[in-house]
Amino acid sequence: MEPALIGTRLASAAIGPILKKLLVSDAPGAGLTGTAPKIRLSSLVSFRGEKRTLTEKDVRKLAGTLVERSLGGQGETPFPADETEAVTATLAATLLALGDLDMDDVQAVRLGHRDLARRLRAAAPAPDGLSADSVLYLESMTEWACLHILEFFTQRSTFIARSLVEQTRGQTELIAKIDEIIRRTPRVDTRDAEFERRYLAHLAKKHGRLTIYGVDLRDAPEKWPLDAAYLSLKATGAPWLARTAPGTGEGADHRSDLLEGHADRILARHDKVLLRGTAGSGKTTLVQWLAVSAAAPEDHTGHSAHADHTGHIAHEDRTGDMAYLRDRIPFVLPLRSLTRHGERLPAPDRFLSAVGCPLSPPDGWADRVLAAGRGLVLVDGIDEIPEAERDRARRWLRDLLDSYDGNRWLVTSRPTAVRDDWLAPDGFAELTLAPMSSTEVATFVRRWHRAAGPEAAPYEQPLLDALRTTPDVAQLATNPLMCGLICALHHGRRGFLPRGRKALYDAALSMLLSRRDRERDMGTPYGIDLGDAPQIQLIQRLAYWLTLNGRTTMDRERAESVVREAVPAITEAAGYDPGAVFTHLLHRSGLLREPTVDTVDFVHRTFQDYLAAKALVDRWDIGVLVRHAADDQWEDVIRMAVGHARPRECAEILGELLDAADAAPDRRTQLRVLVVAATALDHATEVAPQVRERILARTAEVIPPRGSEEARELASVGRAVLDLLPGPEGLDDEAALDVVITATHIPQDAALPYLTRFTEHPYLAVRSQLMWGWSRFPTAAYAEQIISRLDTRLLDFTVVSDQQAAEIVRLGLRPQGLDLRPGLTADGMDLLREVIGGARSLRIPGPLARFVDPLPAGNALETLTVIGYPVGGLGFLRPLTGLRALEIHGNAAAPEEAWDALAALEGLSILEVHARTVADMPETLRLPRTEMLYLHCDAEATSLDVIARTFPALVQLRLLGVLERHTYDLTPLASLTALGSVVGHGGRFLGAEKLAPTVEIRI
C-alpha cells in the first residue's frame, strides 16, 4: 500500500500527535553547547535516555494505534487479518530503530523520507514469516511515518539553526577541499588566463617598435615606438553591384557598399579580409599594429593604452570601430617564416613555436582560443612564398576556416600575387592599401622629423615644400618606406634629394652601408673596413640566392656559406676572415637582420629586389629575367634590372620581354608581361624611342582591359597608359567602366581631362566609379573638373571627408543621393545640413546619425540607410516626416521611448532591420503603414510573433542572412490579412498551410 493511500485513511490531525510522542520537546538554539559534538537522533526520541517519557511498550501501543487507524474505512484490508499482531510488532521494532541511527535531524531531512525508511528497515529486525502483502504494507507504512517524522523535524525551532550551522560547516569544508584541488591541479582556464597575460605582453614588446629605415642621425633612435611611427592608411575594395535595395523597384540599378575605410578598422566590418599592397605600403606594419592594439591592456575607461615615444600613455578608443579587438588573441603568422624549411604549415598547436615564440602554452590552448572565436589570425605575406606553394597555403587556410568559427582573419599580399577572387569563395572581402595621400605624406614627414630629434627639425618644412613643388619627389613618396628614405636622404644631404627611384636607392644604400657608422664614430667594431661597392657585391649574392629560390628568408648557415664562397673573389675583402665579414654585414650593414637565431633576411623586401636585380644584370642572366616575366615575385626585380642596365642592355631586356609576351599562352599572362615591360620604361636611364613606341603599341593592343582585375593591373603602367585609353565613343558600357577604373587608379592630374569625358555617361556604374575615385585625387581640382559635371541621375554622392563636404557646398551641388562615410566629422555634417535636407536618399554611419537632427523643415528625405546602430537611439528620425524606406544595419538595446520616433513616421512603408531589433520592440508599438519588412537573421532562430503584432498591414516579409539549422513557425502570420509573400532560404518552415492560399511562399 502506497503512503498516499495510507494517508487517505489516516488524518494527519489525528495521527500527527501519535507520532510526535516519539520525539522529545526541543529548546531554542542550534544545540552547540551540549556535551556531544552533534545532536543525534538518539537524543531526540522519547524512548531513550534519562528523561524518556515512553517505554518500548508505549511504542508498541502507538504502532498498534497506527495499524488500527490505517485499516479503517471500506475496502479490502492490505494484509491478511491473522498477521495483524506480527505486523504491529514489526512496525514497533522499526520505529524503535529510529533511536539507533547514527545521524542528526538535519542529516535525516537531507536523506528524505524514502531513504530514511530504508535505513530504519535495515536497522530493525527483518520481518519473519510475513506474507508479501504484509511486507509491502510495512514498507509503505514506514515511509508514511517517516514523512511525518521529517515534517516534525523541520518544525522544530532548533532545526533552522542546526541547518545553518551544518551548511556553514559544509561550505567551509568544501571551500577548503576546492582550494586544495586548485593548489594541486590548476584549472585549465586559470592556466590559460595566466599564459595569455604573458603572451600578450610578449607580443606588445616584440611588435611594438619599428625600424627607422635610413636614419643615421647621431642622437636618433634606431627604432620607433609603434605609436609614434604608425600611420592609419586607407584601404579600398573593387566596386560591385549588390542586390536591389528596398524602395528602388525590381531591376533597378543600385550601387552597393564600397569596401573602404581605414585599414586597421576594416576587420570591424568584415571578419575575413584579403589585403593587397605594394612593397613598402605598410602591410606588415598594419599586422604589427593590430597585434599590439589587441595585446594592449585596457584602462578603466575602456581604452587600450600604448606608451608613445615620450613615455606618455596614448589611449585608443575601443568603444567604437576598434572595439572588435577587445578580448582578441592575436596570432602573427608570417608565411615566409612558416615555410622557410619547406615543412608543412602548422596546426594551431604549433602556431607559436613555428614563429619562434619562446613561450610554451598550456596543452590545447590555441585550439580553445580559436574554438571560442577569440582569435585574431594575421597571415602576412602570401606573395613571399613561391607561387607553387600558394594553393597549399590556401588549403591550409580553408581547413582552419572550416574548423573554427567566429574569429577574425587578415591575409596580406602584393597586388598581383593572387587573382582577384582567390579567397572570395571563402567569404573574404578583398581590399587594397591606397597610396598615401598628400595629407598622409605630410603627417608622416612631421612624425619622422619629430621622432628623429631636434637635429632633424630644421629640415622638416623644406622637405614639405619640396613635396608640394617637385613632382619627381612627390611621385616617389607613395608609401611609408619611400617616405622614410626620402626623409633620411633629405636630411643626410642637407636638403638635397637624388632624382629618380634608382638614385634614391643608391643613396640609401650608401647611407646604410658606410655613412651611418662613419658619422657616428663607430669605427670598426668587427675589425672589418670595407667600402660600399664590395659590401654591395657580397650582399647582392644573398639577394640573388633568395630571389632565384623564391624565398625571402634563408638559414644562417646557408647565408654564411654564400658569403664565404664570394669573399675570395672580392679584392678588398679577400684579406679578411670570411666569418668576420659575414658578421659585419649582418650587424652593421643596416640591410640584413636575424628574425630568429638561425635565419637571415633583408630588413625590407624592396632592398632584396633591388640588389637581386643588380646581381642579375652584373651576371647578365637575362634568360632568368625573361623566364620569370609573368611571376609576380619578379615584377619589381625586372623593373629595377632595367634601371641598372646600360642603354644597350636595357633595349635587349625590353625586347626579350616583348617576345615573351608574344609567346604567352593566354591573355592574362600576355597582359602581365606587357605591363611589366611598360612600367619598366620609367626606370630606364636611357631607352631608344623606337623601343618605347614598340612597347606602348603592343600594350595598346590589350586595351580596353577586360574586367576590373585587368583594369587595375593596366593602371600600374602609370601616366603613359592614359594616352592609350579610348572612349567613351565606340565603347560598350562594360568596356567604358573598365577604362574608367584604370584611369581612376592613376592618381595624377593628367588623368583628369580623360575622366572628364565620362561625366555624363549613361551607365550608372561608370559615374559611380568616377565618384569613388574622388578620394585618390586632389579634392578641389577633382571636384571642379569631375564631380561638378556628373550626371546625378540615380547617383549617390560618396563623401568621405570634411574637405569633400566643403567642395560640394562651395560648388552649390545638390545631389539627390548622399552616401556619407566615417571620415566625416561633426563639422562636415554641419556643412552638409542643407544638402542633406534636399536629398531624397541618405546613407550614413550610425555614429553620425545624431547630427542629422535638426534638419531644415520640409526636408525631402524618402530613403535612409544607417550602417551600424545609431548612436543615441532613434530620436533623429522625428523630423524625417516624409521617410518611405528605412534600413538600419546593426542592433542595440533602445529605451521604450526611442521607438516613438519610429512610430511617428506615418509614411514608412519599407523597413529593413535586424531580427534582434524587432525582438526589442515594445508590445505597444504599432507600425500600421509598413508593408515590406526585410529582416536580417543570424545564428539564432527568429520568432515571428512580434511581427504579426507590430506590422498589421504587412504585405511582404523577407528573411535574410543565416537561416540554416533553425525552424521558423509561420503560424503567427496567419492574422495578417494583407500578407502576399514570405521569402526566405535555408531554414525549416512550419505552418505555411495556415496562411491564406493567396500568400506566395518562397522558402
Side-chain angles (χ1 to χ4, degrees):
M1 181 180 291
E2 291 294 328
L5 180 59
I6 295 176
T8 63
R9 296 184 174 183
L10 289 172
S12 294
I15 302 304
I18 297 175
L19 289 172
K20 193 171 184 180
K21 291 180 180 180
L22 295 173
L23 306 173
V24 299
S25 302
D26 62 319
L32 298 178
T33 58
T35 57
K38 288 188 177 182
I39 300 177
R40 297 297 179 185
L41 292 184
S42 58
S43 65
L44 298 178
V45 297
S46 57
F47 47 83
R48 287 282 184 91
E50 297 178 358
K51 299 181 180 180
R52 64 184 178 179
T53 58
L54 294 179
T55 63
E56 290 187 9
K57 182 179 179 180
D58 294 328
V59 174
R60 291 190 183 96
K61 186 176 179 180
L62 290 175
T65 303
L66 290 172
V67 172
E68 182 182 348
R69 297 282 180 90
S70 69
L71 298 179
Q74 302 295 323
E76 182 182 357
T77 58
F79 54 83
D82 60 348
E83 294 184 3
T84 301
E85 186 175 347
V87 167
T88 301
T90 302
L91 178 60
T94 303
L95 294 175
L96 286 169
L98 192 64
D100 297 327
L101 296 183
D102 186 19
M103 65 177 69
D104 57 27
D105 55 347
V106 176
Q107 292 170 329
V109 172
R110 189 182 301 133
L111 273 179
H113 71 281
R114 287 191 174 89
D115 283 343
L116 180 61
R118 279 193 287 270
R119 292 282 188 94
L120 285 176
R121 290 194 297 270
D128 185 19
L130 294 178
S131 65
D133 288 342
S134 295
V135 172
L136 180 61
Y137 168 82
L138 283 169
E139 290 178 356
S140 299
M141 189 64 183
T142 303
E143 288 185 12
W144 187 88
C146 285
L147 191 64
H148 276 268
I149 289 170
L150 294 184
E151 177 70 12
F152 296 149
F153 285 163
T154 61
Q155 293 174 356
R156 288 167 53 86
S157 60
T158 60
F159 179 78
I160 294 178
R162 287 292 310 159
S163 297
L164 292 174
V165 170
E166 291 297 322
Q167 184 178 12
T168 302
R169 288 173 176 170
Q171 287 178 343
T172 302
E173 186 176 343
L174 180 62
I175 290 171
K177 290 179 179 178
I178 291 175
D179 287 344
E180 181 63 18
I181 291 173
I182 292 174
R183 187 185 66 80
R184 294 184 180 182
T185 310
R187 295 177 300 175
V188 170
D189 57 345
T190 302
R191 296 198 307 270
D192 284 359
E194 172 60 20
F195 174 77
E196 286 173 12
R197 183 188 64 78
R198 296 174 57 221
Y199 173 63
L200 293 177
H202 164 76
L203 286 180
K205 183 174 291 186
K206 177 178 180 180
H207 297 293
R209 302 184 74 81
L210 286 177
T211 299
I212 311 175
Y213 295 112
V215 172
D216 64 345
L217 309 183
R218 183 184 304 275
D219 299 322
E222 292 191 358
K223 288 182 177 290
W224 284 357
L226 188 58
D227 274 357
Y230 180 72
L231 186 66
S232 181
L233 299 178
K234 297 282 184 64
T236 60
W240 47 284
L241 294 178
R243 65 175 177 81
T244 299
T248 58
E250 293 296 332
D253 196 3
H254 179 72
R255 215 199 68 209
S256 74
D257 180 19
L258 175 65
L259 303 179
E260 69 172 6
H262 289 280
D264 51 9
R265 299 177 185 180
I266 289 296
L267 279 174
R269 298 163 53 193
H270 309 283
D271 58 359
K272 296 185 284 289
V273 172
L274 171 61
L275 184 68
R276 304 172 192 266
T278 58
S281 61
K283 301 186 298 296
T284 299
T285 303
L286 172 64
V287 167
Q288 289 183 241
W289 177 253
L290 292 174
V292 171
S293 296
E298 290 186 12
D299 65 13
H300 67 280
T301 65
H303 295 71
S304 61
H306 304 280
D308 66 16
H309 65 288
T310 65
H312 173 70
I313 299 298
H315 295 276
E316 175 195 342
D317 186 5
R318 283 221 199 146
T319 60
D321 290 339
M322 298 299 287
Y324 74 94
L325 292 175
R326 185 181 295 117
D327 197 37
R328 292 283 173 184
I329 304 299
F331 296 96
V332 181
L333 304 174
L335 284 179
R336 60 185 175 275
S337 299
L338 302 184
T339 61
R340 65 175 178 267
H341 297 303
E343 63 265 35
R344 292 174 59 87
L345 289 163
D349 62 342
R350 290 186 53 245
F351 276 0
L352 270 57
S353 60
V355 297
C357 177
L359 304 179
S360 298
D363 289 343
W365 168 76
D367 175 73
R368 288 191 291 275
V369 168
L370 294 173
R374 297 174 56 221
L376 176 65
V377 186
L378 306 169
V379 182
D380 189 24
I382 284 288
D383 58 288
E384 295 186 359
I385 59 175
E387 190 167 5
E389 297 181 15
R390 292 174 193 166
D391 281 339
R392 181 166 64 95
R394 180 170 55 180
R395 290 193 298 272
W396 166 76
L397 186 60
R398 282 178 172 169
D399 287 343
L400 292 174
L401 291 166
D402 291 341
S403 302
Y404 301 106
D405 293 327
N407 300 285
R408 304 276 172 172
W409 308 79
L410 176 70
V411 179
T412 71
S413 172
R414 288 197 185 185
T416 57
V418 293
R419 65 177 185 272
D420 264 6
D421 59 348
W422 196 64
L423 290 176
D426 303 298
F428 275 73
E430 300 194 0
L431 298 102
T432 300
L433 277 173
M436 294 171 68
S437 67
S438 57
T439 301
E440 289 166 340
V441 170
T443 299
F444 184 96
V445 169
R446 293 188 183 97
R447 289 185 181 182
W448 189 97
H449 287 82
R450 187 164 58 247
E455 185 182 346
Y459 297 95
E460 177 182 323
Q461 192 57 48
L463 180 55
L464 290 172
D465 294 339
L467 288 167
R468 283 194 298 267
T469 59
T470 310
D472 289 345
V473 176
Q475 289 174 15
L476 292 176
T478 58
N479 61 56
L481 173 66
M482 297 303 295
C483 282
L485 290 179
I486 288 171
C487 290
L489 289 169
H490 182 264
H491 175 269
R493 295 184 167 218
R494 300 298 185 264
F496 295 95
L497 283 172
R499 298 175 65 87
R501 189 176 298 269
K502 180 179 180 299
L504 187 67
Y505 283 130
D506 287 339
L509 291 177
S510 174
M511 176 184 296
L512 292 169
L513 290 171
S514 59
R515 287 188 54 212
R516 185 174 69 162
D517 281 357
R518 185 171 63 248
E519 295 186 9
R520 290 185 178 188
D521 296 326
M522 290 291 293
T524 56
Y526 297 99
I528 305 297
D529 185 13
L530 294 175
D532 295 351
Q535 291 187 79
I536 290 173
Q537 286 291 324
L538 292 168
I539 294 174
Q540 73 185 35
R541 305 290 181 94
L542 301 175
Y544 179 84
W545 188 95
L546 287 167
T547 302
L548 201 61
N549 288 277
R551 301 290 178 184
T552 58
T553 303
M554 63 195 304
D555 293 340
R556 179 184 173 123
E557 183 178 351
R558 166 67 66 180
E560 190 167 357
S561 70
V562 170
V563 172
R564 285 182 178 276
E565 292 173 5
V567 163
I570 307 299
T571 304
E572 193 173 333
Y576 292 112
D577 173 60
V581 172
F582 174 76
T583 302
H584 168 80
L585 296 175
L586 183 60
H587 296 295
R588 301 311 313 161
S589 71
L591 293 172
L592 302 174
R593 64 177 181 178
E594 291 179 284
T596 65
V597 293
D598 61 343
T599 59
V600 174
D601 67 2
F602 280 81
V603 294
H604 199 279
R605 174 68 180 273
T606 296
F607 292 120
Q608 176 186 321
D609 291 344
Y610 182 79
L611 291 174
K614 185 176 183 304
L616 284 159
V617 172
D618 288 350
R619 299 164 66 104
W620 198 234
D621 283 339
I622 187 173
V624 174
L625 283 173
V626 174
R627 283 197 302 273
H628 292 88
D631 187 338
D632 63 273
Q633 286 193 321
W634 283 71
E635 287 180 0
D636 281 347
V637 177
I638 294 171
R639 296 185 187 105
M640 293 177 180
V642 171
H644 285 294
R646 292 171 293 187
R648 182 183 299 177
E649 296 168 338
C650 177
E652 187 172 347
I653 294 173
L654 294 173
E656 291 284 349
L657 288 175
L658 289 180
D659 292 342
D662 291 338
D666 53 62
R667 176 184 168 89
R668 181 173 181 271
T669 303
Q670 181 187 51
L671 178 64
R672 174 168 287 187
V673 176
L674 287 173
V675 166
V676 170
T679 53
L681 289 174
D682 287 341
H683 290 70
T685 304
E686 180 182 337
V687 60
Q690 60 269 27
V691 175
R692 181 183 297 274
E693 291 170 5
R694 183 185 171 202
I695 290 174
L696 294 179
R698 289 289 288 107
T699 305
E701 293 176 7
V702 292
I703 295 175
R706 299 175 185 173
S708 60
E709 182 179 2
E710 282 193 8
R712 290 194 298 276
E713 190 160 358
L714 192 62
S716 64
V717 174
R719 166 67 181 81
V721 81
L722 292 171
D723 296 330
L724 307 176
L725 295 177
E729 299 80 8
L731 297 178
D732 62 28
D733 287 349
E734 293 301 328
L737 174 60
D738 291 335
V739 296
V740 169
I741 290 174
T742 296
T744 53
H745 281 78
I746 305 174
Q748 299 181 23
D749 290 344
L752 298 182
Y754 177 76
L755 293 172
T756 302
R757 290 147 58 180
F758 291 84
T759 54
E760 296 184 358
H761 199 281
Y763 189 31
L764 177 60
V766 169
R767 290 178 281 124
S768 295
Q769 180 64 36
L770 291 173
M771 176 58 67
W772 292 329
W774 192 1
S775 59
R776 300 190 185 103
F777 293 83
T779 304
Y782 196 92
E784 290 182 356
Q785 297 185 50
I786 307 297
I787 302 300
S788 65
R789 302 181 184 184
L790 279 174
D791 178 352
T792 60
R793 287 174 299 169
L794 299 177
L795 178 66
D796 287 349
F797 272 46
T798 303
V799 186
V800 302
S801 68
D802 291 353
Q803 291 77 16
Q804 290 183 350
E807 287 301 313
I808 289 175
V809 173
R810 183 180 68 85
L811 295 171
L813 303 179
R814 290 294 183 266
Q816 292 299 295
L818 278 171
D819 185 356
L820 308 183
R821 297 300 170 118
L824 277 171
T825 68
D827 293 337
M829 290 295 296
D830 190 56
L831 286 172
L832 289 174
R833 193 168 304 282
E834 289 190 12
V835 178
I836 295 173
R840 302 178 70 87
S841 67
L842 173 66
R843 185 182 186 278
I844 190 169
L848 294 180
R850 66 182 186 274
F851 298 113
V852 171
D853 185 14
L855 278 181
N859 64 83
L861 274 180
E862 296 180 355
T863 301
L864 174 64
T865 302
V866 184
I867 304 301
Y869 196 83
V871 176
L874 304 175
F876 75 98
L877 295 174
R878 295 185 186 278
L880 309 183
T881 54
L883 206 60
R884 292 183 55 251
L886 173 64
E887 297 180 44
I888 300 179
H889 296 271
N891 68 90
E896 187 164 339
E897 57 270 18
W899 299 104
D900 295 341
L902 190 61
L905 301 177
E906 296 183 355
L908 187 66
S909 62
I910 303 169
L911 180 63
E912 180 169 346
V913 291
H914 196 281
R916 289 196 296 271
T917 300
V918 170
D920 288 339
M921 290 179 173
E923 293 186 6
T924 57
L925 179 65
R926 296 292 183 273
L927 299 176
R929 293 175 180 81
T930 301
E931 298 179 343
M932 298 174 63
L933 178 63
Y934 295 77
L935 206 60
H936 289 270
C937 306
D938 56 17
E940 301 177 3
T942 300
S943 173
L944 304 183
D945 294 340
V946 179
I947 296 174
R949 179 188 72 221
T950 309
F951 305 95
L954 197 64
V955 174
Q956 183 182 98
L957 172 65
R958 290 196 177 190
L959 302 176
L960 310 171
V962 181
L963 307 180
E964 289 81 359
R965 302 186 302 277
H966 293 300
T967 300
Y968 298 85
D969 185 6
L970 302 179
T971 303
L973 303 181
S975 62
L976 299 177
T977 57
L979 189 65
S981 67
V982 178
V983 180
H985 178 70
R988 182 168 176 257
F989 292 85
L990 304 177
E993 71 281 357
K994 297 183 179 181
L995 303 182
T998 56
V999 178
E1000 179 187 8
I1001 307 293
R1002 285 186 285 162
I1003 53 180

